[in-house]
Amino acid sequence: MSRLIVVSNRVAASEKAGAASMGGLTMALSDALAFSDGVWFGWSGKTGPATDRPDIRSQNGVTIATLDLEAQDVSEYYNGFANTVLWPLFHHRIDLARYERAFGDGYQRVNERFAAALCDLVRPDDVLWVHDYHLMPLALALRRRGLTNRIGFFLHIPWPARELLVTLPQHQALVRSLFAYDLIGFQCEEWRRAFQAYVEIEAAGRVQSSGRISAFGESTTTGVFPIGIDARGFAAIAASPGATRSYTRAAATGVFRSMIISVDRVDYAKGLEARFMAIERLLETYPDMIEKAFLLQVAQPSRPEVRAFAELHPRLDALSGRINGRFATVDWTPIRYLNRSYGRDHLAGLYRAARVGLVTPLRDGMNLVAKEYVAAQDPQDPGVLILSRFAGAAEQMDQALIVNPYSLEDVADAIVRAIRMPKPERIARWRTMMDDIERHDAAAWRSDFLRALRSTTPQVSAAQASVIKPSATEGQGGGGSRVGFG
Ligand code: GDG
């Protein structure tokens, strides 16, 4: 049995590792790692002197290997290229992206450092699974060091439209570097199609119906693996004592009222501003909803060092304050904006108490909140999910009320329809979605991906690995055998 090595920017926090605090992704990966005597590798989250030697510890049968990063790396790689270049670009906000060469240098430097540290840990028959946009060039950096193991990549966020991707100065190097993986996984067909369109048009590549794709004189395999949650586990959390306490409290304050819940990181891609405005439009258009409906927005602060994220806070404060000032009455507030995070059990109780789950990102790789909302419902009296068509989850969850989050009227109408929906229709829609998320849960996602990865033809032979070199257009600011993003 070969070991699994999972590589992600951050490694799951250990201290709180109880079922109630772990997300579905962490659970799915932890199970697989424990089973295969595996290793989870990533940034420690701390700053310190540059090093290739990871700190290694054992946690629930899993080896955790972490590297500290220098302050400059955090600034250029994490806050810079990952979250001020790739995050906005891949979420179609090029107006918020800052294309600075120093960010590309930092991105390259950290991927090289990860590769150097990993090479000392990896054994010949290990399988590597790399996660997300922070680490796209990692496989190429590993191949250039001679690693011939199977390496898979999963992108948790959307793939952008070609017309926007080409605004990135390093677009070709970035896409080309992905061809060093044996398997590239996307959350849904739409993101895979966008990737294929880039490769066909910009790189004169060839796409086969099997998912095999060739360009730059290399080929790899693409696949669609919608990430799931631990649906049964989450349903059990929703019935736990902690969840029941938060359910009872929320239900008591919402008697005779319809609670609408949203849960997001404070992130421009999640569409919080448009959502608040849709609540305002709801109250303008449907006066009978005044004192009847209210939004409970749980909004966990996120990436405070990145300007576009930090700037969102005062805007949301002002918007919720203005709408509340305009519509609130002595004992009712239309938007309860909670700028903090809650335990998973608390959250599950709130989902269950809410008549409507309002999930309206402007663009989102998948969106797990949509699935958690469904899993937390009372089967005898479930609430209604309203879901943005621009979330990857919409491809799977067509029994939700699918909306265009840019249209305030569309969202307002869907809220009224959800609140008025008869119980038999609510149950029928919920049942279909629940069956699907139970079938396609976190464990299925992980095993589907790993099965596909293990059945790919190995990407490179040892001999080929030693001759992969940067292209003529790459390497400025890098040099030698580095990947070339500067
Ligand atoms: C990326 C992609 C993709 C939120 N607030 C609290 C809390 N949360 C938990 C939710 C959910 C998770 O965070 C958020 O997951 P999402 O999927 O909505 O979003 P991203 O963080 O943007 O994740 C996304 C995902 O990767 C997985 O591939 O779906 O598209 O952007 O689980 O419950 N959890 C707790 N307290 C909170 O206050 N405990």
Side-chain angles (χ1 to χ4, degrees):
M1 176 74 196
S2 64
R3 290 190 316 174
L4 173 65
I5 311 244
V6 168
V7 190
S8 55
N9 173 57
R10 291 294 301 276
V11 167
S14 57
E15 303 77 30
K16 295 188 275 177
S21 67
M22 280 210 272
L25 171 66
T26 315
M27 297 274 269
L29 294 176
S30 303
D31 283 357
L33 287 164
F35 188 66
S36 77
D37 186 27
V39 180
W40 195 335
F41 181 96
W43 173 34
S44 63
K46 293 188 287 211
T47 48
T51 171
D52 291 347
R53 299 179 62 108
D55 177 51
I56 296 182
R57 66 179 194 275
S58 178
Q59 178 185 303
N60 305 329
V62 177
T63 302
I64 304 285
T66 53
L67 275 186
D68 293 351
L69 293 180
E70 285 180 288
Q72 187 183 352
D73 291 339
V74 176
S75 153
E76 292 174 353
Y77 149 81
Y78 181 71
N79 292 325
F81 203 78
N83 287 318
T84 306
V85 175
L86 295 180
W87 184 271
L89 169 62
F90 280 46
H91 289 88
H92 285 186
R93 291 298 305 269
I94 54 173
D95 56 316
L96 298 177
R98 279 174 51 213
Y99 297 152
E100 307 270 348
R101 285 197 187 137
F103 294 166
D105 285 339
Y107 188 64
Q108 175 178 316
R109 204 167 52 239
V110 171
N111 273 274
E112 296 288 348
R113 189 163 308 143
F114 269 38
L118 271 165
C119 277
D120 293 338
L121 289 174
V122 175
R123 298 178 195 152
D125 61 348
D126 288 345
V127 168
L128 281 77
W129 188 3
V130 178
H131 289 261
D132 230 1
Y133 59 101
H134 316 85
L135 301 172
M136 289 163 69
L138 185 64
L140 183 56
L142 289 165
R143 299 286 186 222
R144 286 182 176 153
R145 286 174 164 78
L147 210 86
T148 56
N149 300 55
R150 280 215 169 74
I151 316 179
F153 177 75
F154 185 76
L155 184 66
H156 289 259
I157 66 174
W159 186 269
R162 175 187 67 86
E163 293 83 345
L164 297 182
L165 182 54
V166 295
T167 65
L168 175 70
Q170 306 92 335
H171 64 91
Q172 199 195 53
L174 189 73
V175 175
R176 187 175 181 174
S177 73
L178 286 173
F179 279 74
Y181 288 99
D182 297 285
L183 176 65
I184 307 169
F186 298 94
Q187 299 269 29
C188 65
E189 271 301 340
E190 193 173 339
W191 313 148
R192 171 162 74 170
R193 275 199 302 272
F195 175 76
Q196 291 172 338
Y198 174 97
V199 172
E200 284 179 313
I201 297 167
E202 293 296 322
R206 261 180 7 106
V207 174
Q208 294 167 31
S209 57
S210 62
R212 201 75 194 149
I213 186 162
S214 317
F216 312 108
E218 293 161 58
S219 52
T220 183
T221 301
T222 60
V224 173
F225 305 92
I227 193 168
I229 62 165
D230 173 16
R232 288 193 186 84
F234 201 79
I237 293 174
S240 68
T244 306
R245 269 195 302 280
S246 80
Y247 171 89
T248 310
R249 199 165 156 202
T253 64
V255 187
F256 309 125
R257 294 198 169 125
S258 297
M259 179 164 122
I260 304 162
I261 192 161
S262 297
V263 176
D264 309 84
R265 288 180 299 94
V266 179
D267 182 329
Y268 46 81
K270 301 292 184 182
L272 281 90
E273 286 176 285
R275 188 180 307 146
F276 286 4
M277 288 191 276
I279 295 292
E280 181 174 40
R281 183 62 65 92
L282 169 81
L283 301 172
E284 284 168 354
T285 320
Y286 299 94
D288 59 316
M289 290 289 143
I290 293 175
E291 296 206 296
K292 173 143 196 258
F294 68 93
L295 171 68
L296 184 79
Q297 171 71 64
V298 177
Q300 190 179 18
S302 176
R303 304 172 196 162
E305 294 181 359
V306 179
R307 197 198 300 158
F309 286 74
E311 286 177 353
L312 207 49
H313 285 270
R315 290 212 302 274
L316 289 168
D317 292 347
L319 192 56
S320 58
R322 186 179 63 69
I323 297 167
N324 283 338
R326 181 173 168 202
F327 287 100
T329 60
V330 170
D331 64 350
W332 170 79
T333 311
I335 299 177
R336 296 190 196 173
Y337 175 42
L338 311 176
N339 212 215
R340 48 166 291 190
S341 67
Y342 289 90
R344 276 179 91 64
D345 52 348
H346 197 147
L347 219 49
L350 295 176
Y351 285 140
R352 199 175 174 103
R355 170 57 68 221
V356 182
L358 187 57
V359 180
T360 54
L362 304 178
R363 194 169 163 83
D364 213 339
M366 173 58 63
N367 196 297
L368 296 179
V369 169
K371 297 185 174 183
E372 291 167 359
Y373 175 75
V374 169
Q377 296 307 299
D378 174 357
Q380 314 301 323
D381 189 15
V384 179
L385 176 67
I386 297 177
L387 180 60
S388 162
R389 59 164 293 172
F390 304 116
E395 255 182 37
Q396 276 179 296
M397 304 182 84
D398 60 0
Q399 288 302 300
L401 300 183
I402 303 292
V403 293
N404 172 359
Y406 293 93
S407 163
L408 308 184
E409 287 155 341
D410 201 1
V411 176
D413 289 353
I415 292 173
V416 172
R417 185 171 165 208
I419 289 174
R420 294 182 182 155
M421 189 179 287
K423 196 194 268 189
E425 184 180 350
R426 282 192 272 126
I427 292 177
R429 287 174 178 271
W430 173 81
R431 187 72 261 169
T432 308
M433 290 191 283
M434 188 65 186
D435 286 348
D436 189 77
I437 62 177
E438 276 179 354
R439 223 180 3 259
H440 300 111
D441 67 358
W445 167 73
R446 172 244 295 166
S447 54
D448 287 352
F449 184 92
L450 290 175
R451 195 176 318 111
L453 176 58
R454 289 195 163 101
S455 64
T456 52
T457 332
Q459 187 69 347
V460 282
S461 67
Q464 280 173 307
S466 63
V467 298
I468 298 175
K469 290 282 188 295
S471 72
T473 55
E474 291 176 304
Q476 301 148 2
S481 63
R482 309 179 86 198
V483 179
F485 286 92

